[in-house]
Amino acid sequence: MKSVDKHNKIIISATKVFAKKGFFNARISDIAKEAKVADGTIYLYFNNKFDILISVLEEEIGKIIEQIEKAIEQETDPEKMLNIFIEKHLSAMKQNKNLAEVIHIELRQSDRLVKEYRNTSFKQYIDMISKIIKKGQELGIYRTDILPDIAKRAFFGALDEVSRIWTTPGNVQYSVEQTSEQIIALFLTGMRTTS
Amino acid sequence: MKSVDKHNKIIISATKVFAKKGFFNARISDIAKEAKVADGTIYLYFNNKFDILISVLEEEIGKIIEQIEKAIEQETDPEKMLNIFIEKHLSAMKQNKNLAEVIHIELRQSDRLVKEYRNTSFKQYIDMISKIIKKGQELGIYRTDILPDIAKRAFFGALDEVSRIWTTPGNVQYSVEQTSEQIIALFLTGMRTTS
Amino acid sequence: MKSVDKHNKIIISATKVFAKKGFFNARISDIAKEAKVADGTIYLYFNNKFDILISVLEEEIGKIIEQIEKAIEQETDPEKMLNIFIEKHLSAMKQNKNLAEVIHIELRQSDRLVKEYRNTSFKQYIDMISKIIKKGQELGIYRTDILPDIAKRAFFGALDEVSRIWTTPGNVQYSVEQTSEQIIALFLTGMRTTS
Amino acid sequence: MKSVDKHNKIIISATKVFAKKGFFNARISDIAKEAKVADGTIYLYFNNKFDILISVLEEEIGKIIEQIEKAIEQETDPEKMLNIFIEKHLSAMKQNKNLAEVIHIELRQSDRLVKEYRNTSFKQYIDMISKIIKKGQELGIYRTDILPDIAKRAFFGALDEVSRIWTTPGNVQYSVEQTSEQIIALFLTGMRTTS
DNA sequence: GATGAATGAGCGTTCATTCAT
DNA sequence: GATGAATGAACGCTCATTCAT
């Protein structure tokens, strides 16, 4: 019986190898070795190399989404929701540096790599942001001249690039709190009506 | 034909091909065909495939830097300098979509692709941002709790991700002005002391 | 289930799969699926993939040989014996098109596939022909300038190629009788002393 | 400039390797080594492994067809035409044993190997036979109860199988003349009206 | 006996790079 | 300088076979 364990082990190993070498320089045999399985075993769990990447993106981003959604669903204050979003995203990135690296680099080309794939979890992820902003606008907290569809991108782009500090070597290592505060200072202040 | 011309023709062609297929799926013969030269000719102007990518990044980003530097050097007001930076970056990205695509995707992995290369033009580019912010802080315009090294990344990340709207198909096509205003609204407001 | 049954089920399935895909493109898992057994089960009954092919050839050709031998053994007239041979061979081929396909194609390469194997049933099969011819020559019915060792091949080659009409699609579908008559007209007439 | 010489050298080498090992057991590297070119060079002249086989069949059978057509075109007597056909085919097979082996074995599966391919030279080849037979029937030389479409197959099958004597080891080695005479004795006699 | 997940050797094909012309 | 035919290392993927359950 194909085990869920092995599927997961391969996902984790692939994330590590993709993070280190990048998708194209990653060899199936690298992943197999890392996962301590035979090359052929990979193909019992995934259709091809692309499929592994997609699965990493979908499953691992999916987990973060789930976490954040759970953390947010109790909240009603958009301000606090965004605070949570920022904090959760940054801690996830700081904790799982392999996944962070993959998101930084491979997420960008995933659409091009697999024609049939329009990254869906990712879309869902950044749409969480625009939804919160819209809510804030309805509640009169956020300026209505902010376009949520642009702001969500600016917001995610900033978060993503900022979190690269932890994966690019030779940088001052700021804490999650410090970094969160910066993003909050910049964005949330910028969005408020009472600014 | 003068060899500078041919060098340039190859750079332009490579940018186009990298934009369309991505670095790894681009073949030297694709670039050669696009540039209307023989495969071997490429190697009279570049050491290897990586070297072409590095050259694209350095030379083309270099041009934008030069433009922005020239436009900014007259200015003394940090606020206006950032306005110019935003506007110039976004128009450059909207104008040269091939380069935009390459920056979005290939810039991220350039460090990993060529070990000896730490993208330098790019570093110079985003350091322009932190320098302006520092200046603003010195002039008392910007809040001193903003960390320029984080803010520069947030700023660039936002700009970059926002400009992807123009290269990912199926999006509402906002104008440069609209987009600029959004970034300004978010960031500049957020940074001001008098907020 | 008795193991003889399973052995047979695998032989039948293999014949079907070999016929459809050819030996090299046939996968063990195809045969297993067709036989509704697990892949590993095949190896309880056969040593390896080649062994399955050899078994198909030996056992299935063996059955035809047996049938023909039984039908002929009562006969004493070589002319009638050959008539029976022709008719039996052609009906067998028309009835079991899978086996026909395998004989047409895989029989030819069987020697090469398995070094230790010189197809023996087949040899026995076509030697039936030369024996009958020799008998006919002894009885003065057939011309003595006919070399039985060449004639047997010509005879079998003709029969085999003619029976491909039924397995190659898009051909006029002649009946066994029509086809038999043609072979008889050509060969038997050609061999007779009183021609 | 891609040379015709190299194309030919590869065809010859491939024929040799296919003859010795069979299509499926032949390695591209075997063919390359035999032709004294690099593996990759093969792909400058052929699309893929199948393409090599098809080319061997088409080009080499094509040559034989040409030879026979040229030898026959002067003739008007169907009897003599068939004599020539038999003699030319058998000498070609005896001379080029590699090609003979490929025809014996790989021709049979060529249709299955390449879906787009219905061997055309071969069709043309055996249709030469039925045309001659029809002519003979029109001239009243051959019996009209012979069906040319069946007879052509019987005729070719006999020729082909008979010529295997020269490629299967351990057989008495008959001469082309002896073998021709046997086929003539069997077939031509069998077809004549004045038999 | 039966299963099917796991193995890993093996190969067709690609493509960056070279170099004789 | 320019060409493009030739090279051959490299890798994704397949599938016959094994063996723990």
Side-chain angles (χ1 to χ4, degrees), chain B residues 125-136:
Chain B
Y125 193 57
I126 79 167
D127 281 348
M128 287 178 66
I129 303 168
S130 49
K131 278 179 194 154
I132 301 175
I133 295 176
K134 278 175 198 160
K135 198 170 192 176

Side-chain angles (χ1 to χ4, degrees), chain A residues 1 6 38 40-41 44-45:
Chain A
M1 186 191 49
K6 206 157 276 185
T41 305
L44 295 176
Y45 295 88

Side-chain angles (χ1 to χ4, degrees), chain B residues 22 32 35 49 60 63 87-88 115 120 141 162 165-166 175:
Chain B
K49 197 182 169 189
E60 300 294 304
K63 281 183 201 162
E87 197 275 338
K88 288 284 179 193
K115 294 213 166 31
T120 51
I141 302 173
V162 153
I165 296 184
W166 296 314
S175 68

Side-chain angles (χ1 to χ4, degrees), chain D residues 9-63:
Chain D
K9 205 160 71 173
I10 295 169
I11 288 278
I12 303 297
S13 304
T15 309
K16 201 179 289 183
V17 175
F18 288 156
K20 193 176 171 194
K21 303 192 160 190
F23 177 77
F24 282 102
N25 289 316
R27 305 294 143 228
I28 290 293
S29 58
D30 294 334
I31 299 173
K33 192 176 286 176
E34 180 73 36
K36 286 174 187 154
V37 296
D39 290 23
T41 305
I42 305 260
Y43 290 87
L44 296 175
Y45 295 88
F46 300 91
N47 296 322
N48 51 46
K49 199 183 167 189
F50 291 142
D51 190 29
I52 306 175
L53 177 61
I54 300 309
S55 300
V56 166
L57 292 176
E58 286 296 303
E59 293 181 25
E60 300 294 303
I61 293 184
K63 281 183 201 162

Side-chain angles (χ1 to χ4, degrees), chain B residues 45-155:
Chain B
Y45 296 89
F46 300 90
N47 295 322
N48 52 44
K49 197 182 169 189
F50 291 142
D51 191 28
I52 306 175
L53 177 61
I54 301 309
S55 301
V56 166
L57 292 176
E58 287 297 304
E59 294 181 24
E60 300 294 304
I61 293 184
K63 281 183 201 162
I64 301 182
I65 292 182
E66 237 175 277
Q67 279 174 34
I68 300 190
E69 278 185 334
K70 194 176 284 176
I72 285 180
E73 64 184 8
Q74 323 280 18
E75 274 312 324
T76 51
D77 178 9
E79 192 84 2
K80 284 187 183 157
M81 289 165 94
L82 284 178
N83 274 328
I84 293 171
F85 192 101
I86 293 168
E87 197 275 338
K88 288 284 179 193
H89 179 90
L90 291 180
S91 8
M93 291 301 107
K94 199 179 183 192
Q95 253 171 60
N96 192 344
K97 289 194 183 140
N98 289 332
L99 180 60
E101 191 83 17
V102 174
I103 288 177
H104 293 325
I105 298 181
E106 311 303 336
L107 179 64
R108 257 82 183 179
Q109 44 185 336
S110 57
D111 287 356
R112 189 153 60 196
L113 293 185
V114 186
K115 294 213 166 31
E116 312 79 42
Y117 175 72
R118 295 270 114 200
N119 41 60
T120 51
S121 283
F122 174 64
K123 205 172 178 326
Q124 193 185 340
Y125 193 57
I126 79 167
D127 281 348
M128 287 178 66
I129 303 168
S130 49
K131 278 179 194 154
I132 301 175
I133 295 176
K134 278 175 198 160
K135 198 170 192 176
Q137 291 177 323
E138 285 162 15
L139 294 175
I141 302 173
Y142 293 146
R143 296 161 48 177
T144 49
D145 60 335
I146 298 289
L147 297 170
D149 271 359
I150 293 187
K152 75 176 179 192
R153 285 174 171 273
F155 193 86

Side-chain angles (χ1 to χ4, degrees), chain C residues 6 38 40-41 45:
Chain C
K6 205 160 273 187
T41 306
Y45 295 90

Side-chain angles (χ1 to χ4, degrees), chain D residues 63-95:
Chain D
K63 281 183 201 162
I64 301 182
I65 291 183
E66 233 175 280
Q67 279 174 31
I68 300 190
E69 277 185 335
K70 194 176 285 176
I72 284 180
E73 64 184 7
Q74 322 282 18
E75 274 314 323
T76 51
D77 178 9
E79 192 85 3
K80 284 187 183 155
M81 290 165 93
L82 284 178
N83 274 328
I84 293 171
F85 192 102
I86 293 167
E87 198 275 337
K88 289 282 179 194
H89 179 90
L90 292 179
S91 10
M93 292 301 106
K94 199 179 183 192
Q95 252 171 60

